Each structure stands twice: as structure tokens, then as C-alpha cells.
Amino acid sequence: MTKQEYSFETQLLHNKHKFDPNTGAVSVPVQYASTFHQPSVDKFGKFDYSRSLNPTREALEDIIADMEGGSRGLAFSSGMAAISTAFLLLSQGDHVVVTEDVYGGTFRMVTQVLTRFGIEHTFVDMTNLEEVKAAIQPNTKVLYVETPSNPLLKVTDIEAISTIAKGIGAWTFVDNTFMTPYLQRPLDLGADIVLHSATKFLGGHSDTLSGLAVVKDEELGKQLYALQNSFGAVLGVQDAWLVMRGIKTLSVRMNQSQESAKQIATYLENHPLITNVHFPGLENHPQYEIHSRQADGPGAVLSFEIENEDFFKEFVNHVELPVFAVSLGGVESILSYPAKMSHAAMPVSERQKRGISNTLLRLSVGLESPEDIINDFSNALELASRHLIKE
Ligand SMILES: *Cc1c(COP(=O)(O)O)cnc(C)c1O
């Protein structure tokens, strides 16, 4: 059986880094060296300095490239370092079209940093292809997609956007953090660069910050590598190892969390105090069809709105199981408050325009028993109602 015939799950474990060829160790060695001895004046080895290439980081870069079906992977010190480095492919006078409910850090990069370098942007609702086409300018170089989006889980048709981009000679960047390549492979759908905050599901344990970028086109890979080496926001070796460790259990974690997310979303949808549930696994999700076509599952992140701000505060005060924190994709469930956390970098007016209300909560479902989470939510909603009735 050749490698190509193994399933994705099997390749998470049995890839070319399953053991170290020098020692047989079944874990990639963590190579702390910053520099590498060279054999002679006219003969340099493969490795010279760890910003340019490091064997531990390279193993992770190989693994993510294979997982995404790309030709080259690059690992960065955070998701934002990967995203920002990809934007350095642009030059003064260029323009990007960005999905409007983009991750808060990406919003900040586009609106506060790229603008200072003369790179323009237009935010659009990417679920509306006409709006995307209308935003295109002669200097548009990138269509920037996040799907499902954060925190409203809106779904963009990656293939349709890639086709529009190709038609105007622009690149398509896709932030694939919420899905991971286990559920969605944007390069196969025509995207040029896939970006990840590996801090989330790929790392999976809320214990490391990391970012990844993958390309299919070799020339684009060389350009992005040159920027990684120039800008220098590379991933450290210990973190690279932690992400590789996390990736080994990606499929089992995703399967479990995703099944629980479906149950929790259905529970919330039927609760009278919950006004809206955003989850691409619900058949009434506006882009359910598109998502089912381009991804192998809805993932494990959902968001929901509570009837009013008083209930909302009481609910958060009484919920016990999930950690109340920024971030997602951990083994523990994480409840977060986009208006004050991931999207705090966005002005109130922009948040409201995008439908990120003050009673919206985002839940990243971990590996707990879904019944326990549902019971916890039930109790918290019950206590919230009683408390408010007393007042
Ligand atoms: C967290 C996140 C990022 C940023 O990644 P960091 O690792 O925190 O720098 C980018 N995009 C999405 C969708 C994220 O959730």
C-alpha cells in the first residue's frame, strides 16, 4: 500500500516524520540549535541558521503541507504572524477585498497597519458574490476569505471566490482555522494560500501559539518563504513540537467535539431564552448547502444570542463548565464574548453593522460529555430566569 492510499486519519500518524531516521525515535527531535556547523568553505549543508530553516520546524511544515494538499508549508510564531506575512506579498497601491466578519486581529492588521503602507481594503459580505464582484478594483490583488467566519459562522463559497479571483489575476487567501484540513481543504477548491492559527484546533490543547501557511504553487511558495525569512516571525521548536503532537489526535478530537457541538446547537435552538444559534451543522443555516458541499463537517464552534443583556449577564455568571476566555479549539470547551474579546479591536459601530451583538456568545466545544455541558447550560439559564424574576 502506498502512502497515497492511506486515509487522512492514518497519515496524521504515518507520514514521513513517523520516526527519526537517525535514531528511530518515534517523536520528532526538538532541535534547539540556532546555527549549524558547515563542512567547508565551498560546501554548505542544508541547514545554516534556524530563522531560515530548522529541522523541527521543517517537519511541521512538511506535515501541514501534506495535510492541506499543498507543495509547501511555513510555520510562524502565531496565526497573526502567518496572516501578516502573507499580506506582505502586497505592495503599496494594492487593494484587498476582505470578508466583513473577519477575525478581530486580521481586521486590525488590515485597517490600522496595511493602510499605513498604502494598501487599501474593502469589507464585503462574502456570502453575497455580487457584493464581492462590485468591490473589485483594477488594483485588487487578494480576496481574503474566512469560512466559517468568526463569530457568526457565515459560510463563503471558496470555489466561487477563487474563480472570481483567478478571473482578475488576484490571489485567494483562506483562513482555515475553524475547519482544519481534516474538514476542509481550500487549495483543492482553488485557493492560493491557506492560513491557520494553529493555536486553535491543530495544536488543540490551549498550550501554544502558532501560525501556519500553505501554498500549492511552488513559485508563490518561494515568495512566501522569502518573506518568512525576511520578516523572521518563525515558530520556535518547542511550539512546533507541541503542534505536531496535537495534530496526531486531530481527527478524533474533531469527531468528538463536532458531534457534541451538533447536540448542543440543537439544544440551544430549542431553548426559549436563546434567540439565535449560528452553526453550519443546522439545516436552517443560510449557507447549509454550500458548507455541506465544500466541507466534511460543521466543526466544533457555534455562537448564540441570549434574549436580553440581563439574562446574558446572569447566564455567564452561572455557567460553570466551559472556561470563559478568548480562543477556541482546545480540549476544554471555551465560552467567549466576541464583543469584548476577539472583536474588541473592532469599533462598536462596525460590530453592530456586522451583527455582533452585545448578547452574542461563542462556544468552542471541547471533549467533555455533551450531556454535562447541556445540563450546565440548562442550570445556568434556569438560575438566570429565577434571579431576574425575583428582582
Ligand atoms: C485566533 C485566530 C487567528 C489569530 O491567530 P493567533 O494564533 O492568535 O495569532 C486568526 N484567525 C482566526 C480565525 C482565529 O481564530
Side-chain angles (χ1 to χ4, degrees):
M1 215 178 185
T2 65
K3 187 174 158 242
Q4 274 67 34
E5 291 170 87
Y6 290 136
S7 66
F8 186 92
E9 288 89 333
T10 303
Q11 287 185 52
L12 291 177
L13 305 159
H14 301 279
N15 51 51
K16 78 173 188 235
H17 297 287
K18 74 188 265 188
F19 60 82
D20 173 32
N22 294 324
T23 61
V26 295
S27 166
V28 173
V30 180
Q31 185 49 266
Y32 278 103
S34 59
T35 190
F36 298 80
H37 176 69
Q38 304 305 324
S40 74
V41 177
D42 40 31
K43 198 162 170 273
F44 275 30
K46 175 178 174 185
F47 300 98
D48 61 3
Y49 187 61
S50 275
R51 172 162 36 70
S52 309
L53 195 61
N54 170 285
T56 311
R57 191 175 81 232
E58 186 190 31
L60 171 60
E61 292 176 334
D62 279 352
I63 289 170
I64 191 66
D66 281 348
M67 286 166 73
E68 288 284 6
S71 69
R72 185 163 203 165
L74 297 162
F76 298 86
S77 52
S78 69
M80 281 319 304
I83 292 166
S84 304
T85 303
F87 276 131
L88 293 180
L89 286 161
L90 298 175
S91 302
Q92 187 178 14
D94 288 348
H95 172 251
V96 284
V97 176
V98 188
T99 183
E100 67 181 354
D101 51 350
V102 73
Y103 176 73
T106 309
F107 177 86
R108 180 168 46 211
M109 181 68 196
V110 168
T111 57
Q112 294 180 27
V113 183
L114 296 187
T115 43
R116 289 199 293 105
F117 295 88
I119 297 164
E120 306 180 283
H121 58 267
T122 307
F123 287 105
V124 295
D125 175 358
M126 282 224 171
T127 63
N128 182 344
L129 297 176
E130 293 313 311
E131 211 179 296
V132 175
K133 287 181 199 156
I136 287 168
Q137 304 179 4
N139 57 345
T140 302
K141 293 287 163 60
V142 169
L143 302 191
Y144 190 97
V145 180
E146 205 180 297
T147 183
S149 71
N150 186 7
L152 294 173
L153 288 300
K154 287 195 197 169
V155 171
T156 295
D157 186 333
I158 298 172
E159 202 165 11
I161 295 289
S162 306
T163 305
I164 296 172
K166 284 195 174 72
I168 57 163
W171 288 309
T172 305
F173 292 3
V174 178
D175 183 331
N176 202 26
T177 299
F178 275 35
M179 287 287 100
T180 82
Y182 178 52
L183 298 177
Q184 178 170 277
R185 304 214 314 170
L187 297 177
D188 293 347
L189 299 166
D192 299 286
I193 302 186
V194 176
L195 297 158
H196 282 285
S197 170
T199 310
K200 315 294 168 56
F201 290 103
L202 290 170
H205 294 72
S206 305
D207 55 11
T208 175
L209 279 179
S210 156
L212 298 168
V214 186
V215 301
K216 197 168 225 163
D217 181 75
E218 286 180 18
E219 186 46 45
L220 184 58
K222 280 184 194 153
Q223 287 179 48
L224 198 57
Y225 166 73
L227 289 167
Q228 180 197 38
N229 193 30
S230 300
F231 193 62
V234 294
L235 186 63
V237 291
Q238 182 78 50
D239 299 288
W241 187 87
L242 282 167
V243 176
M244 285 188 277
R245 143 101 80 122
I247 284 174
K248 291 181 186 189
T249 56
L250 175 67
S251 61
V252 284
R253 285 186 288 106
M254 271 306 206
N255 289 343
Q256 162 81 20
S257 292
Q258 174 168 267
E259 280 313 309
S260 302
K262 286 181 197 165
Q263 292 180 35
I264 295 166
T266 305
Y267 161 77
L268 290 170
E269 205 187 18
N270 291 312
H271 198 287
L273 290 178
I274 306 297
T275 48
N276 264 315
V277 181
H278 309 278
F279 183 57
L282 293 173
E283 281 179 36
N284 62 9
H285 183 283
Q287 296 92 32
Y288 179 79
E289 296 301 324
I290 297 172
H291 190 78
S292 309
R293 193 172 0 106
Q294 70 185 8
D296 293 329
V301 180
L302 55 101
S303 62
F304 56 98
E305 279 155 80
I306 300 189
E307 192 164 270
N308 63 50
E309 288 200 39
D310 295 330
F311 273 122
F312 171 83
K313 284 196 185 123
E314 288 299 321
F315 172 75
V316 173
N317 285 341
H318 288 105
V319 119
E320 283 178 3
L321 262 187
V323 294
F324 186 53
V326 178
S327 201
L328 55 105
V331 287
E332 63 288 301
S333 290
I334 303 175
L335 187 67
S336 51
Y337 185 25
K340 293 272 167 69
M341 293 176 174
S342 56
H343 290 66
M346 201 177 266
V348 187
S349 58
E350 295 290 326
R351 276 207 307 270
Q352 279 168 351
K353 229 192 282 169
R354 288 163 170 77
I356 304 169
S357 77
N358 282 341
T359 66
L360 180 78
L361 285 169
R362 188 187 70 198
L363 179 70
S364 164
V365 180
L367 303 182
E368 302 89 348
S369 140
E371 288 80 25
D372 287 341
I373 294 180
I374 290 171
N375 286 338
D376 184 32
F377 280 17
S378 278
N379 283 339
L381 287 164
E382 173 70 29
L383 288 170
S385 328
R386 263 193 247 157
H387 192 96
L388 288 169
I389 290 164
K390 254 193 244 147
E391 279 177 358

